[in-house]
Amino acid sequence: MAAPSDLDSLRERLREMDDLQAAASLLHWDQNTYLPRRGAASRGRHLATLERLLHERRVDPELRRTLERLERRSPELGELERDLLRVVSRDVERAARYPASFMVTITEHAAASFEAWGRAREEADFALMAPLLERTVELSRQYASFFPEADHLADPLIDDADEGMSVAALRPLFAHLRAALLPLVEAAIAERGEAGSQPALPLASVQEAAQMRVALRLASALGYDLDGGRQDLALHPFAIRIAQGDVRITTRVDPTDLAEALFSTLHEAGHAMYEQGLSAELNGTSLASGVSAGIHESQSRLWENLVGRSRGFWRYALPIVQRTFPELGHLDEEAAHRSVNQVRRSLVRTEADELTYNLHVIIRFDLELELLEGRLAVTDLPEAWRERYQRDLGVAPQDHLEGVLQDVHWFSGFVGGAFQGYTLGNVLSAQFFEAARSAIGDLDEQFAAGTFAPLHAWLREHVYAYGRRLPPAELVERATGRALSVEPYLSYLRDKYAPNLAREAASK
Ligand code: ZN
């Protein structure tokens, strides 16, 4: 019988690719934490080489033949093997669309662009980036050309990050969300007042190590396993799986505001807990990773916002925070809760509150579609950005740093495919949370007692353990009993930020 040996050979190939991927991930992690600036160019080359080796293995004709033989025998295979076959075939099919040289070009270009972006930010100089961004748009359009069946130039990039999603599905979803958010922001500010730009959890002096320590302690209370993880400083926080037993997070510290370190840590720990919760049987295969950008972000946002900004969490966390930072002793539970849930129409996405956050994302999503479609020139981007911020948030950037240069995404990869996941994640965070609550009861009381294990266990069973075994839409359906919907998210936001509006809506 040929099937077992083909399976063995498949698993061996995947294991080797997983090892190469682990090496690339470690280089990425280092690039974004400790790499000296002058090492950037050669690091770009190292990553491009690994990317090429991975690509060669993915499109190896022998792998394809193995997959075809296994495909014919798929009735003999177990469920796990069939899921693996589906996912590897999808990866192989997509990788075979473009030549390895294209991947090298985009990886090297991305490294150069990322490096230039650092300099451009120092001088808030968009002109420095414009030619590089024009090239990125060109390369992104070229990528789309490898998928001629796509309805929209952004679809292949979106489908890479969020399988099954498309511009046609996202446009109406985001339009609906935006239309609901604009009046909700108005109502919340009318009810609660608009916050100033003062720190949420103000500190008088720089206490970087102490901030990181308390943030990590709380992340570990939620369930982030420190024996299989670590925390470092980074300008742009991220979580990264190197391998099983090695899922790292990075944290950004604001010397004057503990909220930055705290929430960036809880956010990245949410991503990391997803990766730590993958079923061990997926290890070393293409199934051993989060399934999509949106599902990933749903977990970071769930832990950061639905848990970390809840009343119950603050009943538990405030005494811990105050033991390290006695200067926050003036806050009681209600004041702390209010302080970390302020609403403000602001300019910077990563600093935006829960309520206005998706407006920032939708602006970027719309603008990147216009860039790809050729309806917006790169040189006109700053002005389009300013207009849209004025229209949706009532504020306009004073310089490019708080405008178009703020996000790393367009300057370190493709234009397209990177932003929709944030909003999908926010939407799904509430949908998963609602399903978990109806299964395990009053979560707020559990949080107040420092009990996070039941929620963690529910998420592990219904989301994390699967890795990539189920396509995102199917995972959502199975876990929550319904298809993706913005309603749980909107009702969560209404209840929290505009209870008067929520009561009106309920009485209609
Ligand atoms: Zn995230």
Side-chain angles (χ1 to χ4, degrees):
M1 191 170 136
S5 72
D6 276 335
L7 260 184
D8 288 346
S9 125
L10 176 66
R11 283 185 175 278
E12 206 178 298
R13 282 166 182 278
L14 295 179
R15 163 71 66 186
E16 196 186 65
M17 283 157 68
D18 193 56
D19 290 345
L20 286 171
Q21 184 56 60
S25 297
L26 190 59
L27 291 183
H28 259 294
W29 172 82
D30 176 70
Q31 182 179 47
N32 292 288
T33 48
Y34 298 109
L35 181 70
R37 181 182 285 191
R38 287 205 192 119
S42 40
R43 181 55 48 87
R45 197 186 60 241
H46 303 152
L47 284 165
T49 298
L50 282 171
E51 204 52 63
R52 180 175 54 75
L53 292 175
L54 268 164
H55 185 79
E56 281 169 8
R57 275 160 180 74
R58 233 175 261 132
V59 298
D60 183 343
E62 194 44 53
L63 172 59
R64 199 170 259 261
R65 283 192 286 274
T66 306
L67 288 170
E68 281 163 8
R69 281 196 301 275
L70 285 166
E71 198 64 62
R72 285 195 294 274
R73 292 164 179 275
S74 103
E76 299 166 31
L77 301 175
E79 217 176 314
L80 178 66
E81 284 74 26
R82 280 205 296 273
D83 292 341
L84 181 61
L85 206 56
R86 181 188 68 79
V87 167
V88 180
S89 300
R90 173 179 150 89
D91 291 350
V92 165
E93 200 274 321
R94 293 184 79 75
R97 296 295 191 98
Y98 49 85
S101 60
F102 179 76
M103 251 316 123
V104 172
T105 305
I106 183 73
T107 309
E108 284 178 348
H109 171 71
S113 173
F114 177 73
E115 204 262 336
W117 178 66
R119 280 183 283 125
R121 282 173 62 85
E122 277 165 22
E123 290 148 39
D125 182 5
F126 179 71
L128 189 67
M129 291 314 294
L132 286 158
L133 186 57
E134 273 162 13
R135 175 81 177 131
T136 309
V137 171
E138 199 183 295
L139 289 169
S140 306
R141 296 171 66 106
Q142 196 184 338
Y143 183 73
S145 74
F146 300 126
F147 299 83
E149 75 281 14
D151 291 328
H152 192 281
L153 285 166
D155 280 354
L157 288 163
I158 291 172
D159 195 32
D160 281 344
D162 290 287
E163 183 183 350
M165 277 293 162
S166 63
V167 170
L170 289 166
R171 259 190 179 136
L173 187 82
F174 287 0
H176 174 63
L177 188 60
R178 177 175 175 269
L181 284 174
L182 292 174
L184 197 49
V185 171
E186 292 296 322
I189 287 171
E191 277 185 41
R192 307 153 61 100
E194 180 153 18
S197 56
Q198 68 277 15
L201 301 170
L203 299 178
S205 62
V206 183
Q207 302 166 76
E208 200 170 85
Q211 288 199 43
M212 288 177 75
R213 209 165 49 239
V214 82
L216 190 61
R217 174 175 170 187
L218 289 169
S220 132
L222 300 185
Y224 176 48
D225 174 15
L226 295 177
D227 289 332
R230 59 173 288 125
Q231 176 198 41
D232 295 271
L233 269 181
L235 202 52
H236 303 279
F238 60 96
I240 191 163
R241 174 190 169 91
I242 312 290
Q244 192 189 31
D246 186 0
V247 185
R248 306 179 182 196
I249 61 171
T250 56
T251 295
R252 175 162 58 195
V253 173
D254 177 337
T256 63
D257 189 355
L258 176 63
E260 180 71 43
L262 183 59
F263 290 107
S264 73
T265 302
L266 299 187
H267 180 97
E268 301 308 334
H271 282 301
M273 284 155 72
Y274 184 4
E275 299 280 338
Q276 288 183 330
L278 303 173
S279 168
E281 64 187 353
L282 312 182
N283 199 27
T285 76
S286 319
L287 298 174
S289 116
V291 67
S292 70
I295 305 277
H296 235 300
E297 194 68 7
S298 77
Q299 296 314 302
S300 56
R301 295 304 251 177
L302 186 149
W303 290 105
E304 176 195 359
N305 287 337
L306 286 97
V307 179
R309 293 181 207 269
S310 70
R311 188 70 185 252
F313 177 81
W314 279 93
R315 187 166 311 161
Y316 160 73
L318 189 59
I320 295 172
V321 166
Q322 285 171 333
R323 263 200 300 282
T324 307
F325 299 102
E327 60 194 290
L328 294 172
H330 64 283
L331 291 172
D332 60 14
E333 175 196 320
E334 195 191 325
H337 181 248
R338 199 174 45 239
S339 204
V340 301
N341 286 292
Q342 300 177 62
V343 178
R344 190 165 78 91
R345 284 166 288 206
S346 64
L347 288 162
V348 178
R349 175 183 63 87
T350 56
E351 291 165 10
D353 55 80
E354 234 182 334
L355 199 52
T356 55
Y357 185 89
N358 295 296
L359 295 172
H360 293 260
V361 175
I362 295 170
I363 289 172
R364 287 154 179 74
F365 180 75
D366 289 345
L367 291 176
E368 67 186 10
L369 296 189
E370 286 186 38
L371 285 170
L372 288 171
E373 289 164 3
R375 288 191 289 129
L376 176 63
V378 163
T379 45
D380 296 332
L381 179 63
E383 190 48 37
W385 183 285
R386 153 183 284 279
E387 272 171 27
R388 197 51 201 277
Y389 262 82
Q390 193 68 57
R391 180 143 48 97
D392 284 11
L393 286 144
V395 288
Q398 296 301 306
D399 61 34
H400 296 312
L401 199 56
E402 54 181 28
V404 72
L405 283 181
Q406 65 181 268
D407 294 293
V408 64
H409 307 71
W410 291 340
F411 306 110
S412 66
F414 287 112
V415 166
F419 284 110
Q420 78 284 334
Y422 291 114
T423 285
L424 287 171
N426 284 317
V427 166
L428 284 167
S429 68
Q431 191 168 336
F432 285 127
F433 193 81
E434 188 185 78
R437 192 174 44 200
S438 66
I440 53 186
D442 188 346
L443 292 171
D444 212 54
E445 283 204 352
Q446 295 182 13
F447 300 164
T451 304
F452 304 99
L455 175 61
H456 189 196
W458 188 92
L459 291 166
R460 191 191 289 261
E461 181 188 342
H462 295 275
V463 183
Y464 304 170
Y466 286 99
R468 295 176 69 198
R469 287 189 67 176
L470 302 174
E474 200 180 325
L475 182 74
V476 170
E477 285 246 26
R478 278 211 213 174
T480 70
R482 65 197 284 190
L484 168 81
S485 160
V486 294
E487 295 315 321
Y489 183 56
L490 286 173
S491 92
Y492 159 73
L493 291 178
R494 282 192 196 104
D495 287 346
K496 183 167 176 179
Y497 290 98
N500 290 335
L501 200 72
R503 274 191 290 278
E504 263 171 52
S507 67
K508 263 185 216 156

PDB file of all heavy atoms in Angstrom, residues 237-239 267-268 270-271 293 296-301 304 349 357 422, ligand 1:
ATOM      1  N   PRO A 237       4.740  46.511  18.283  1.00  0.00           N
ATOM      2  CA  PRO A 237       4.582  45.207  18.941  1.00  0.00           C
ATOM      3  C   PRO A 237       3.981  44.138  18.024  1.00  0.00           C
ATOM      4  O   PRO A 237       3.160  44.440  17.160  1.00  0.00           O
ATOM      5  CB  PRO A 237       3.619  45.509  20.091  1.00  0.00           C
ATOM      6  CG  PRO A 237       3.665  46.976  20.290  1.00  0.00           C
ATOM      7  CD  PRO A 237       4.008  47.572  18.963  1.00  0.00           C
ATOM      8  N   PHE A 238       4.436  42.923  18.216  1.00  0.00           N
ATOM      9  CA  PHE A 238       3.932  41.790  17.436  1.00  0.00           C
ATOM     10  C   PHE A 238       4.116  40.529  18.263  1.00  0.00           C
ATOM     11  O   PHE A 238       4.837  40.519  19.259  1.00  0.00           O
ATOM     12  CB  PHE A 238       4.691  41.669  16.106  1.00  0.00           C
ATOM     13  CG  PHE A 238       6.178  41.462  16.268  1.00  0.00           C
ATOM     14  CD1 PHE A 238       6.730  40.189  16.242  1.00  0.00           C
ATOM     15  CD2 PHE A 238       7.026  42.545  16.477  1.00  0.00           C
ATOM     16  CE1 PHE A 238       8.111  39.990  16.421  1.00  0.00           C
ATOM     17  CE2 PHE A 238       8.399  42.354  16.660  1.00  0.00           C
ATOM     18  CZ  PHE A 238       8.933  41.078  16.626  1.00  0.00           C
ATOM     19  N   ALA A 239       3.425  39.481  17.860  1.00  0.00           N
ATOM     20  CA  ALA A 239       3.641  38.156  18.446  1.00  0.00           C
ATOM     21  C   ALA A 239       4.120  37.268  17.322  1.00  0.00           C
ATOM     22  O   ALA A 239       3.738  37.463  16.165  1.00  0.00           O
ATOM     23  CB  ALA A 239       2.340  37.610  19.024  1.00  0.00           C
ATOM     24  N   HIS A 267      -2.727  42.321  24.167  1.00  0.00           N
ATOM     25  CA  HIS A 267      -3.063  42.096  22.759  1.00  0.00           C
ATOM     26  C   HIS A 267      -2.168  41.002  22.160  1.00  0.00           C
ATOM     27  O   HIS A 267      -2.661  40.005  21.608  1.00  0.00           O
ATOM     28  CB  HIS A 267      -2.894  43.402  21.981  1.00  0.00           C
ATOM     29  CG  HIS A 267      -3.214  43.297  20.524  1.00  0.00           C
ATOM     30  ND1 HIS A 267      -4.434  43.655  20.000  1.00  0.00           N
ATOM     31  CD2 HIS A 267      -2.482  42.843  19.475  1.00  0.00           C
ATOM     32  CE1 HIS A 267      -4.428  43.420  18.693  1.00  0.00           C
ATOM     33  NE2 HIS A 267      -3.258  42.932  18.342  1.00  0.00           N
ATOM     34  N   GLU A 268      -0.859  41.186  22.293  1.00  0.00           N
ATOM     35  CA  GLU A 268       0.059  40.215  21.690  1.00  0.00           C
ATOM     36  C   GLU A 268      -0.024  38.865  22.396  1.00  0.00           C
ATOM     37  O   GLU A 268       0.132  37.816  21.768  1.00  0.00           O
ATOM     38  CB  GLU A 268       1.492  40.759  21.686  1.00  0.00           C
ATOM     39  CG  GLU A 268       1.674  42.090  20.932  1.00  0.00           C
ATOM     40  CD  GLU A 268       1.112  42.083  19.516  1.00  0.00           C
ATOM     41  OE1 GLU A 268       1.014  41.002  18.899  1.00  0.00           O
ATOM     42  OE2 GLU A 268       0.759  43.176  19.022  1.00  0.00           O
ATOM     43  N   GLY A 270      -2.711  37.613  23.451  1.00  0.00           N
ATOM     44  CA  GLY A 270      -3.886  36.973  22.845  1.00  0.00           C
ATOM     45  C   GLY A 270      -3.505  36.240  21.559  1.00  0.00           C
ATOM     46  O   GLY A 270      -3.901  35.090  21.341  1.00  0.00           O
ATOM     47  N   HIS A 271      -2.703  36.905  20.721  1.00  0.00           N
ATOM     48  CA  HIS A 271      -2.198  36.231  19.516  1.00  0.00           C
ATOM     49  C   HIS A 271      -1.398  34.993  19.912  1.00  0.00           C
ATOM     50  O   HIS A 271      -1.531  33.915  19.317  1.00  0.00           O
ATOM     51  CB  HIS A 271      -1.258  37.159  18.738  1.00  0.00           C
ATOM     52  CG  HIS A 271      -1.951  38.211  17.924  1.00  0.00           C
ATOM     53  ND1 HIS A 271      -2.861  37.914  16.931  1.00  0.00           N
ATOM     54  CD2 HIS A 271      -1.856  39.572  17.936  1.00  0.00           C
ATOM     55  CE1 HIS A 271      -3.275  39.047  16.364  1.00  0.00           C
ATOM     56  NE2 HIS A 271      -2.689  40.066  16.961  1.00  0.00           N
ATOM     57  N   ALA A 293      -5.809  36.059   9.281  1.00  0.00           N
ATOM     58  CA  ALA A 293      -5.518  37.313   9.977  1.00  0.00           C
ATOM     59  C   ALA A 293      -6.702  37.711  10.857  1.00  0.00           C
ATOM     60  O   ALA A 293      -6.533  38.127  12.000  1.00  0.00           O
ATOM     61  CB  ALA A 293      -5.207  38.408   8.965  1.00  0.00           C
ATOM     62  N   HIS A 296      -7.083  35.478  13.879  1.00  0.00           N
ATOM     63  CA  HIS A 296      -5.989  35.801  14.798  1.00  0.00           C
ATOM     64  C   HIS A 296      -6.301  37.067  15.582  1.00  0.00           C
ATOM     65  O   HIS A 296      -6.175  37.128  16.808  1.00  0.00           O
ATOM     66  CB  HIS A 296      -4.671  35.966  14.038  1.00  0.00           C
ATOM     67  CG  HIS A 296      -3.590  35.066  14.565  1.00  0.00           C
ATOM     68  ND1 HIS A 296      -3.166  35.150  15.879  1.00  0.00           N
ATOM     69  CD2 HIS A 296      -2.886  34.063  14.005  1.00  0.00           C
ATOM     70  CE1 HIS A 296      -2.234  34.225  16.080  1.00  0.00           C
ATOM     71  NE2 HIS A 296      -2.045  33.542  14.962  1.00  0.00           N
ATOM     72  N   GLU A 297      -6.692  38.086  14.827  1.00  0.00           N
ATOM     73  CA  GLU A 297      -6.960  39.361  15.491  1.00  0.00           C
ATOM     74  C   GLU A 297      -8.157  39.259  16.430  1.00  0.00           C
ATOM     75  O   GLU A 297      -8.246  39.977  17.416  1.00  0.00           O
ATOM     76  CB  GLU A 297      -7.161  40.453  14.429  1.00  0.00           C
ATOM     77  CG  GLU A 297      -7.109  41.874  14.942  1.00  0.00           C
ATOM     78  CD  GLU A 297      -5.728  42.324  15.432  1.00  0.00           C
ATOM     79  OE1 GLU A 297      -4.740  41.564  15.265  1.00  0.00           O
ATOM     80  OE2 GLU A 297      -5.652  43.424  16.002  1.00  0.00           O
ATOM     81  N   SER A 298      -9.066  38.375  16.139  1.00  0.00           N
ATOM     82  CA  SER A 298     -10.221  38.220  17.048  1.00  0.00           C
ATOM     83  C   SER A 298      -9.734  37.772  18.420  1.00  0.00           C
ATOM     84  O   SER A 298     -10.303  38.146  19.441  1.00  0.00           O
ATOM     85  CB  SER A 298     -11.231  37.212  16.488  1.00  0.00           C
ATOM     86  OG  SER A 298     -10.797  35.873  16.658  1.00  0.00           O
ATOM     87  N   GLN A 299      -8.659  37.004  18.465  1.00  0.00           N
ATOM     88  CA  GLN A 299      -8.166  36.532  19.754  1.00  0.00           C
ATOM     89  C   GLN A 299      -7.372  37.604  20.491  1.00  0.00           C
ATOM     90  O   GLN A 299      -7.511  37.757  21.698  1.00  0.00           O
ATOM     91  CB  GLN A 299      -7.339  35.256  19.556  1.00  0.00           C
ATOM     92  CG  GLN A 299      -8.184  34.118  19.009  1.00  0.00           C
ATOM     93  CD  GLN A 299      -9.514  34.000  19.759  1.00  0.00           C
ATOM     94  OE1 GLN A 299      -9.538  33.824  20.977  1.00  0.00           O
ATOM     95  NE2 GLN A 299     -10.629  34.133  19.050  1.00  0.00           N
ATOM     96  N   SER A 300      -6.550  38.374  19.746  1.00  0.00           N
ATOM     97  CA  SER A 300      -5.832  39.451  20.424  1.00  0.00           C
ATOM     98  C   SER A 300      -6.813  40.488  20.958  1.00  0.00           C
ATOM     99  O   SER A 300      -6.676  40.973  22.075  1.00  0.00           O
ATOM    100  CB  SER A 300      -4.820  40.094  19.476  1.00  0.00           C
ATOM    101  OG  SER A 300      -5.449  40.552  18.303  1.00  0.00           O
ATOM    102  N   ARG A 301      -7.825  40.795  20.169  1.00  0.00           N
ATOM    103  CA  ARG A 301      -8.786  41.822  20.597  1.00  0.00           C
ATOM    104  C   ARG A 301      -9.682  41.313  21.712  1.00  0.00           C
ATOM    105  O   ARG A 301     -10.087  42.067  22.593  1.00  0.00           O
ATOM    106  CB  ARG A 301      -9.632  42.281  19.406  1.00  0.00           C
ATOM    107  CG  ARG A 301      -8.833  42.981  18.356  1.00  0.00           C
ATOM    108  CD  ARG A 301      -8.063  44.161  18.896  1.00  0.00           C
ATOM    109  NE  ARG A 301      -8.609  45.422  18.458  1.00  0.00           N
ATOM    110  CZ  ARG A 301      -8.155  46.616  18.845  1.00  0.00           C
ATOM    111  NH1 ARG A 301      -7.145  46.693  19.689  1.00  0.00           N
ATOM    112  NH2 ARG A 301      -8.697  47.714  18.403  1.00  0.00           N
ATOM    113  N   GLU A 304      -7.492  41.550  24.777  1.00  0.00           N
ATOM    114  CA  GLU A 304      -7.157  42.947  25.072  1.00  0.00           C
ATOM    115  C   GLU A 304      -8.394  43.740  25.503  1.00  0.00           C
ATOM    116  O   GLU A 304      -8.357  44.448  26.513  1.00  0.00           O
ATOM    117  CB  GLU A 304      -6.551  43.615  23.819  1.00  0.00           C
ATOM    118  CG  GLU A 304      -6.262  45.108  23.999  1.00  0.00           C
ATOM    119  CD  GLU A 304      -6.003  45.844  22.684  1.00  0.00           C
ATOM    120  OE1 GLU A 304      -6.020  45.194  21.616  1.00  0.00           O
ATOM    121  OE2 GLU A 304      -5.794  47.059  22.741  1.00  0.00           O
ATOM    122  N   ARG A 349      -4.017  55.073  14.421  1.00  0.00           N
ATOM    123  CA  ARG A 349      -4.779  53.830  14.545  1.00  0.00           C
ATOM    124  C   ARG A 349      -4.421  53.032  15.789  1.00  0.00           C
ATOM    125  O   ARG A 349      -5.291  52.602  16.541  1.00  0.00           O
ATOM    126  CB  ARG A 349      -4.544  52.956  13.300  1.00  0.00           C
ATOM    127  CG  ARG A 349      -5.194  51.569  13.362  1.00  0.00           C
ATOM    128  CD  ARG A 349      -4.853  50.746  12.122  1.00  0.00           C
ATOM    129  NE  ARG A 349      -3.436  50.473  12.006  1.00  0.00           N
ATOM    130  CZ  ARG A 349      -2.814  49.443  12.565  1.00  0.00           C
ATOM    131  NH1 ARG A 349      -3.487  48.563  13.272  1.00  0.00           N
ATOM    132  NH2 ARG A 349      -1.516  49.271  12.401  1.00  0.00           N
ATOM    133  N   TYR A 357     -11.689  52.736  16.476  1.00  0.00           N
ATOM    134  CA  TYR A 357     -10.609  51.973  15.828  1.00  0.00           C
ATOM    135  C   TYR A 357     -10.958  51.538  14.400  1.00  0.00           C
ATOM    136  O   TYR A 357     -10.167  51.702  13.468  1.00  0.00           O
ATOM    137  CB  TYR A 357     -10.258  50.742  16.685  1.00  0.00           C
ATOM    138  CG  TYR A 357      -9.078  49.976  16.151  1.00  0.00           C
ATOM    139  CD1 TYR A 357      -7.786  50.306  16.546  1.00  0.00           C
ATOM    140  CD2 TYR A 357      -9.239  48.956  15.224  1.00  0.00           C
ATOM    141  CE1 TYR A 357      -6.695  49.617  16.046  1.00  0.00           C
ATOM    142  CE2 TYR A 357      -8.151  48.274  14.712  1.00  0.00           C
ATOM    143  CZ  TYR A 357      -6.888  48.606  15.127  1.00  0.00           C
ATOM    144  OH  TYR A 357      -5.813  47.934  14.615  1.00  0.00           O
ATOM    145  N   TYR A 422      -7.909  43.351  10.716  1.00  0.00           N
ATOM    146  CA  TYR A 422      -8.100  44.027  12.003  1.00  0.00           C
ATOM    147  C   TYR A 422      -9.585  44.186  12.310  1.00  0.00           C
ATOM    148  O   TYR A 422     -10.035  43.941  13.432  1.00  0.00           O
ATOM    149  CB  TYR A 422      -7.445  45.413  11.991  1.00  0.00           C
ATOM    150  CG  TYR A 422      -5.943  45.373  11.941  1.00  0.00           C
ATOM    151  CD1 TYR A 422      -5.244  45.838  10.836  1.00  0.00           C
ATOM    152  CD2 TYR A 422      -5.221  44.864  13.012  1.00  0.00           C
ATOM    153  CE1 TYR A 422      -3.862  45.806  10.796  1.00  0.00           C
ATOM    154  CE2 TYR A 422      -3.836  44.830  12.984  1.00  0.00           C
ATOM    155  CZ  TYR A 422      -3.161  45.302  11.869  1.00  0.00           C
ATOM    156  OH  TYR A 422      -1.798  45.261  11.833  1.00  0.00           O
TER     157      TYR A 422
HETATM  158 ZN    ZN B   1      -2.939  42.060  16.449  1.00  0.00          ZN
END
